[in-house]
Each structure stands twice: as C-alpha cells, then as structure tokens.
C-alpha cells in the first residue's frame, strides 16, 4: 500500500523541478544573445554548458555527502544564491 506524499517532500519536489527549469532550460533562451555578445559559436557555448554539467555531476558526490551529514539547509540555500548570482 502506498503512503501519501508528505507536504515537505511534495514541496521539495516542486522546488527542485522549478529550479532546474529556471537554471537549465533558460540556457536556450540566452544562447543567441551570448553568441552575439561573446563572439563564440553555438557549438562552443554548448560545449561550455556540457563542461558545466560535468562539473555539477562531479560536485554531486561531496554535496550529497554534506546533505547526508545534516547540512541540507546550508547546501540548498547556498546553491540557490549561487545559481541566482550566476
């Protein structure tokens, strides 16, 4: 028998989905203006995105460990602020 989702889990799920939508999919909207301003090719810009995703994947292990050790609030807050600043 399935247990209903707690409001906390539901809220975190929605926040994670919205964060990815804002941070990841917005790249396509900024691709052409970045190409014009920076003079980079679309391939170079998408390559930079790929390198960034690789860095995020590598950072996932220590970040996950920090969350597991009880620092989730700090990690989530810092990640949100860092993402907004970028």
């Amino acid at each position: 028998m399935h247990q209903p989702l707690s409001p906390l889990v539901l809220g975190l799920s929605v926040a994670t989905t919205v964060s990815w939508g804002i941070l990841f999919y917005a790249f396509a909207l900024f691709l052409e203006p970045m190409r014009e301003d920076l003079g980079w090719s679309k391939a170079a810009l998408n390559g930079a995105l790929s390198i960034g995703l690789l860095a995020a994947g590598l950072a996932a292990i220590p970040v996950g460990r920090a969350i597991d050790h009880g620092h989730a609030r700090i990690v989530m807050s810092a990640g949100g602020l860092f993402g907004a600043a970028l």
Side-chain angles (χ1 to χ4, degrees), residues 6-85:
S6 74
L8 177 64
V9 171
L10 185 60
L12 287 173
S13 299
V14 170
T16 300
T17 302
V18 170
S19 294
W20 269 100
I22 291 168
L23 294 174
F24 183 72
Y25 292 111
F27 184 80
L29 298 173
F30 297 120
L31 187 61
E32 191 60 30
M34 286 190 305
R35 188 193 66 73
E36 291 173 3
D37 287 348
L38 299 173
W40 291 18
S41 68
K42 287 183 181 181
L45 289 168
N46 282 298
L49 174 64
S50 297
I51 291 169
L53 291 172
L54 176 63
L58 293 173
I61 295 170
V63 168
R65 285 188 182 135
I67 291 170
D68 288 344
H69 286 102
H71 305 293
R73 183 174 294 164
I74 293 170
V75 169
M76 294 298 290
S77 298
L81 291 172
F82 188 64

